[in-house]
Amino acid sequence: MVDNKRTCKQILLLAYQSFGIVFGDLCISPLYVYKSTFSGRLRDYQTEDTVFGVFSLIFWTLTLLSLFKHVIILLNADDNGEGGLFALYALLCRNSKVSLLPNHQAADEEISTYHDPDHSSRNAHSSRFKAFIERNRKAKTGLLVFVLLGISLVFSVGVFRPAISVLSSIDGLQVKLENMHSGMVVFLACLVLIGHFVLQYRGTYKVAFMFAPIVILWLLTIAIVGVYNIVKWNPRVYWALSPHYIYKFFRETGRDGWMSLTGVLLCSTGTEAIFQDLGQFSATSIRLAFCCVVYPCLVLQYMGQAAYLSKNISATSISFYASIPDPLFWPVLIMATLAAIVASQAIISAMFSIVKQCYALGCFPRVKIVHKSRWVRGQVYIPEINWVHMVLSLAITVGFRDTNRLANAYGIAFMSLTFVTTWLTSLVIAFVWHQSFVFALLFALFFGSIEIIYLSSSCMKILRGGWVTLMITAAFLVVMFVWHYGNRKRYLYDQHNKVSMKTILTLGPSLGIVRIPGIGLIYTELVNGVPATFTHFLTNLPAFYQVVVFVCAKTVPVPYVPTKERYLIGRIGPKSYRMYRCIVRSGYKDVHNHDDDFENDLVTSLAEFIQLEAEGFGNVDGPVDGWLAVVRTSEKFGKRLAVSESNSIKGSSSSSSPPFNANNSKSATLQRLRSTYEEESLEVKYRPRAQFKLLENKDMHVKEELLELLEAKCAGVSYVIGHSRIKAKWNAPFLKRFVINVAYSFLRKNSRAPAVVLNIPHICLIEVGMNYHV
């Protein structure tokens, strides 16, 4: 009983918070739907049946696309509670061989979040269509481009939504202040937008609590106004709930009615945020908020506007504010402005989340991702995206200056995004839910046919502002695909030029070089073999650390990887080589704090692996790069070494040493330089230091290897990263040379360095120059 009460309380809390993030744009649509719908030739049809027909279209569009498709069906297509286009793509990658991620391992499929017990594909029958996509490389690339197209449309929606929401709300000033210049309206809208984007650094968790009461109050107010208009102007408006009025509408208006669909589709804008922001809430809480509050309030408001317009057809250009009773005008105007700010929040938080996912899967340039420990898991802030988004939104607001033209561009982006989501969902129905191909096709045809009708109407407005949507979408699509293409070519080059184990074994335990105290972490994207970066380093400087660890930080197509399953540890070559492999697996929504101490986690994991190997869980002295262990799932993990923490530099430098003096391996000059750097660097100065102490161990070989590991850790850890220069081969096609030499090179130079993204201390970094000819 207590658990049930706690669960209900949590659902109600999440439903409350969802108003501040998810439903903002959907709730602000009444400001401009009727205005945009009657902006064309439809204003010539000044009859009650025309108004009723428009309302009937709005009602059934909101019911079919928002309620049935997104809230009832699409929320079930979650990936371990996460939603969005990348969640759909990740589900497809895990349940069929359509992924283009290059470093997939069989061990990834053993992650606890990899398979959904309700829709397991291990014993599922493979259809011919699925087999065709899995075998055809062009089909896989086409699927990825289709997903990236949807992501690009999210960016386009994100640029237009703040502009149209804020501008349409402030437009109400001209209803009462008739002498107010339109330039002043644009100026005020820009001020509101700037303030909203500046607020983003505080995180969406606080924003949700701040904005939720505004949206709830807004919904209740417009619902009351809607009921007032129904009672006062035309109680018969409920007849328009019948789809028969849609038939009458098109019979009377014909082509002009079809052209007006660009405005009607705006009633469902913001619906995609319901699925995109699913991970921050839950399907139950979102359904509760939508079905009990959002949907009925919106229907009442649209019905009330229709009742008002049926008797005041000349007021279509200001229908929302004209239908507000005079005593409520100024309070509603203030609430509309605040609600417009909330409407922008849904897409802004969605853009942060989706950029993080694109970057994790290698489809977006490196950016700074901020996540504070007090924020909810998965909520991030990306400064570069925030400021670019702000500049584009301001440019759109100043450039268009008109809500109707903004609606033309916004409608194309939104309906195209909805169309992409529909077809990806149909693939999930067939490949993940294992429903019949006919059922998946019926889903796609039913909703897709509705969306294609709206999209065809929107495309007629390309010359009236829609071309801006195409340009923004194309720009983001090119950036993401070029980055993915360049990264894949670089990985394939590394895979082709990796060093064979036979070459390593012929060098002997010393590797033919001088082994100095310390741990050398070599970052690579390879999950097997020795990267060419290592041999290139040894060729130029024939000395390396006594302990070598090849680190591969990769993303698995799951939203989150449990902490216990994150590290895969293995050995390269015989024990005497002291060479290990560490694969750090993350989900596409995992966010790691800068406070995490990777070095200490690595040492603890290596010590556990050495002990497990000695206990017979793997090869005793395997000469090949093979067995990998998920060491953190061991019952004895963390009990092999005694660990304590110290926050002071002096204390850590004096007491972190084992019963041997590892600091003597460094010259006094190097020790003095390092101490000076640590004292000046706040990040290093206040980072907790782990002090390791070896517990008693009866196995002398294990004890010797563990002592050597702790000695190396005490001597210091260095990070080796390849500093690559990528060029296309001279005989490559012109398009490939342009993409690699110009576009990809430009993106690499203007994105953050790998060391910054990986949070590597500058004093410990070694970069190895590499030339790639792909």
Side-chain angles (χ1 to χ4, degrees):
M1 183 64 70
V2 175
D3 292 338
N4 291 336
K5 288 183 179 179
R6 186 176 302 171
T7 302
C8 292
K9 183 178 179 180
Q10 185 177 11
I11 291 174
L12 290 175
L13 178 61
L14 290 175
Y16 168 78
Q17 288 182 329
S18 67
F19 287 102
I21 298 293
V22 176
F23 300 112
D25 187 55
L26 190 63
C27 297
I28 205 71
S29 298
L31 286 173
Y32 46 78
V33 169
Y34 282 103
K35 176 182 178 180
S36 300
T37 303
F38 285 94
S39 62
R41 295 182 180 178
L42 197 64
R43 68 167 67 96
D44 298 332
Y45 300 87
Q46 298 189 5
T47 64
E48 181 181 278
D49 284 348
T50 302
V51 176
F52 280 14
V54 170
F55 168 67
S56 187
L57 279 168
I58 292 172
F59 172 76
W60 286 105
T61 301
L62 193 65
T63 301
L64 292 176
L65 296 186
S66 298
L67 178 61
F68 282 102
K69 179 190 168 185
H70 281 83
V71 176
I72 295 179
I73 299 177
L74 201 56
L75 289 184
N76 291 318
D78 67 293
D79 182 11
N80 291 284
E82 298 294 330
L85 291 177
F86 261 119
L88 297 177
Y89 184 62
L91 285 172
L92 293 174
C93 290
R94 299 207 306 271
N95 290 271
S96 56
K97 300 176 182 178
V98 298
S99 174
L100 289 177
L101 292 177
N103 48 16
H104 176 74
Q105 294 175 285
D108 297 338
E109 299 182 11
E110 302 303 321
I111 297 176
S112 58
T113 56
Y114 197 92
H115 292 285
D116 185 352
D118 297 330
H119 305 290
S120 178
S121 62
R122 297 187 177 186
N123 300 319
H125 177 70
S126 179
S127 65
R128 293 182 180 180
F129 181 62
K130 179 179 178 181
F132 167 76
I133 296 180
E134 291 177 341
R135 291 195 306 263
N136 194 315
R137 180 170 182 79
K138 291 184 178 179
K140 295 179 183 179
T141 304
L143 178 61
L144 177 64
V145 172
F146 192 62
V147 173
L148 294 182
L149 173 63
I151 303 302
S152 303
L153 289 167
V154 173
F155 291 126
S156 295
V157 169
V159 170
F160 286 100
R161 181 174 297 168
I164 191 173
S165 299
V166 175
L167 191 59
S168 61
S169 64
I170 299 181
D171 266 343
L173 289 173
Q174 292 182 306
V175 176
K176 289 293 184 181
L177 307 176
E178 297 180 357
N179 297 327
M180 188 176 188
H181 194 271
S182 60
M184 180 58 66
V185 174
V186 174
F187 175 74
L188 293 176
C190 291
L191 289 181
V192 173
L193 287 173
I194 292 173
H196 184 48
F197 281 104
V198 170
L199 185 66
Q200 291 303 310
Y201 79 97
R202 299 183 65 85
T204 56
Y205 181 73
K206 286 189 175 181
V207 170
F209 263 99
M210 293 166 56
F211 287 166
I214 297 174
V215 176
I216 295 173
L217 184 60
W218 166 257
L219 283 169
L220 295 177
T221 302
I222 62 175
I224 293 172
V225 170
V227 173
Y228 167 81
N229 286 324
I230 293 170
V231 174
K232 179 178 180 180
W233 296 104
N234 197 341
R236 294 183 297 106
V237 72
Y238 73 90
W239 291 358
L241 296 176
S242 170
H244 176 68
Y245 279 88
I246 298 177
Y247 166 75
K248 294 177 64 176
F249 172 79
F250 284 113
R251 187 183 63 186
E252 295 178 8
T253 60
R255 187 176 185 273
D256 295 335
W258 169 67
M259 291 286 288
S260 69
L261 292 179
T262 304
V264 174
L265 67 87
L266 296 177
C267 71
S268 61
T269 53
T271 305
E272 80 287 348
I274 294 176
F275 184 52
Q276 180 64 45
D277 294 324
L278 174 61
Q280 299 184 32
F281 307 100
S282 67
T284 304
S285 62
I286 291 177
R287 288 191 178 111
L288 178 66
F290 184 86
C291 296
C292 295
V293 181
V294 177
Y295 181 73
C297 289
L298 288 178
V299 170
L300 288 174
Q301 166 55 211
Y302 285 121
M303 188 182 295
Q305 278 197 63
Y308 175 83
L309 288 176
S310 66
K311 303 300 181 182
N312 304 273
I313 193 66
S314 60
T316 53
S317 61
I318 53 172
S319 62
F320 178 80
Y321 285 107
S323 65
I324 302 297
D326 287 340
L328 295 179
F329 180 84
W330 290 108
V332 170
L333 178 65
I334 295 173
M335 280 191 292
T337 305
L338 296 176
I341 297 174
V342 180
S344 307
Q345 183 59 45
I347 194 62
I348 293 174
S349 60
M351 286 182 67
F352 291 156
S353 176
I354 212 163
V355 167
K356 163 67 179 69
Q357 297 170 42
C358 289
Y359 164 72
L361 296 176
C363 297
F364 203 87
R366 293 181 293 268
V367 292
K368 180 181 180 180
I369 299 175
V370 179
H371 174 78
K372 298 180 181 179
S373 57
R374 64 177 181 272
W375 293 0
V376 174
R377 185 178 74 162
Q379 294 183 353
V380 296
Y381 167 69
I382 303 177
E384 295 95 330
I385 299 300
N386 189 57
W387 303 129
V388 170
H389 190 185
M390 184 187 75
V391 170
L392 290 176
S393 294
L394 291 175
I396 291 296
T397 304
V398 175
F400 279 81
R401 291 174 170 262
D402 179 45
T403 306
N404 292 329
R405 295 178 62 197
L406 277 170
N408 295 336
Y410 184 29
I412 293 177
F414 168 74
M415 195 48 64
S416 300
L417 173 59
T418 305
F419 186 73
V420 170
T421 305
T422 296
W423 285 95
L424 284 177
T425 306
S426 67
L427 292 179
V428 169
I429 292 173
F431 296 169
V432 180
W433 295 356
H434 310 297
Q435 301 295 324
S436 67
F437 179 76
V438 174
F439 182 78
L441 186 62
L442 287 175
F443 171 86
L445 291 177
F446 177 75
F447 289 106
S449 61
I450 298 174
E451 292 156 0
I452 204 69
I453 292 173
Y454 282 112
L455 189 58
S456 63
S457 173
S458 299
C459 288
M460 300 302 294
K461 306 291 181 68
I462 288 179
L463 297 180
R464 303 178 189 176
W467 61 272
V468 179
T469 296
L470 301 181
M471 289 184 60
I472 295 175
T473 302
F476 278 105
L477 179 61
V478 168
V479 167
M480 290 189 291
F481 187 76
V482 166
W483 187 261
H484 170 79
Y485 179 79
N487 281 349
R488 183 168 179 81
K489 288 296 181 182
R490 187 182 63 178
Y491 175 83
L492 294 177
Y493 181 91
D494 281 336
Q495 185 74 19
H496 180 72
N497 292 276
K498 65 182 180 181
V499 183
S500 65
M501 284 303 304
K502 182 179 180 181
T503 303
I504 297 296
L505 293 175
T506 56
L507 298 176
S510 66
L511 300 179
I513 58 174
V514 178
R515 302 293 289 268
I516 60 175
I519 299 178
L521 304 182
I522 303 173
Y523 277 80
T524 175
E525 293 185 4
L526 301 177
V527 294
N528 52 52
V530 177
T533 307
F534 182 57
T535 56
H536 187 67
F537 180 92
L538 299 183
T539 302
N540 292 274
L541 184 63
F544 207 73
Y545 298 96
Q546 67 188 93
V547 176
V548 180
V549 183
F550 294 95
V551 180
C552 173
K554 72 170 190 175
T555 301
V556 183
V558 296
Y560 301 101
V561 175
T563 304
K564 290 185 176 181
E565 303 175 43
R566 183 161 295 160
Y567 289 88
L568 274 178
I569 305 294
R571 186 187 296 278
I572 299 178
K575 289 184 178 181
S576 57
Y577 281 56
R578 299 297 189 258
M579 295 173 64
Y580 308 92
R581 183 179 305 283
C582 174
I583 298 176
V584 185
R585 304 179 293 184
S586 301
Y588 57 80
K589 294 211 66 174
D590 270 322
V591 180
H592 305 298
N593 294 325
H594 290 290
D595 298 332
D596 297 340
D597 199 331
F598 172 69
E599 294 179 8
N600 295 333
D601 290 343
L602 177 63
V603 170
T604 307
S605 299
L606 288 174
E608 183 66 25
F609 170 80
I610 293 170
Q611 190 68 47
L612 287 175
E613 189 182 43
E615 293 174 357
F617 288 92
N619 297 329
V620 177
D621 203 23
V624 294
D625 178 16
W627 180 65
L628 295 169
V630 185
V631 294
R632 291 199 166 201
T633 57
S634 171
E635 295 180 357
K636 297 181 180 180
F637 179 79
K639 301 178 181 179
R640 314 288 187 177
L641 301 174
V643 185
S644 59
E645 289 187 355
S646 173
N647 290 322
S648 65
I649 294 178
K650 291 181 180 181
S652 65
S653 61
S654 62
S655 61
S656 63
S657 302
F660 42 75
N661 190 0
N663 286 330
N664 291 336
S665 60
K666 289 189 176 183
S667 67
T669 303
L670 287 177
Q671 294 184 44
R672 186 168 59 254
L673 287 174
R674 184 180 181 90
S675 299
T676 302
Y677 170 80
E678 291 178 343
E679 290 177 358
E680 295 178 352
S681 175
L682 293 176
E683 180 181 355
V684 177
K685 185 175 182 179
Y686 294 106
R687 177 181 294 175
R689 300 297 191 81
Q691 304 172 25
F692 294 98
K693 183 178 180 182
L694 183 62
L695 301 178
E696 292 295 327
N697 197 302
K698 297 180 180 180
D699 191 324
M700 295 304 298
H701 295 288
V702 173
K703 184 176 181 179
E704 179 185 354
E705 188 171 2
L706 290 175
L707 285 173
E708 190 171 344
L709 174 64
L710 297 185
E711 179 183 1
K713 172 63 172 69
C714 188
V717 179
S718 295
Y719 299 77
V720 180
I721 292 183
H723 185 78
S724 55
R725 180 175 177 268
I726 303 175
K727 291 289 183 182
K729 295 179 180 179
W730 66 272
N731 59 346
F734 170 77
L735 182 60
K736 181 178 179 180
R737 283 187 282 120
F738 176 80
V739 169
I740 296 296
N741 298 345
V742 179
Y744 183 65
S745 177
F746 174 80
L747 292 176
R748 281 174 56 85
K749 290 178 181 177
N750 290 277
S751 62
R752 293 186 180 267
V756 176
V757 175
L758 294 170
N759 194 32
I760 296 176
H762 185 69
I763 195 173
C764 306
L765 176 64
I766 301 174
E767 292 187 311
V768 180
M770 293 286 293
N771 289 322
Y772 288 68
H773 295 280
V774 298

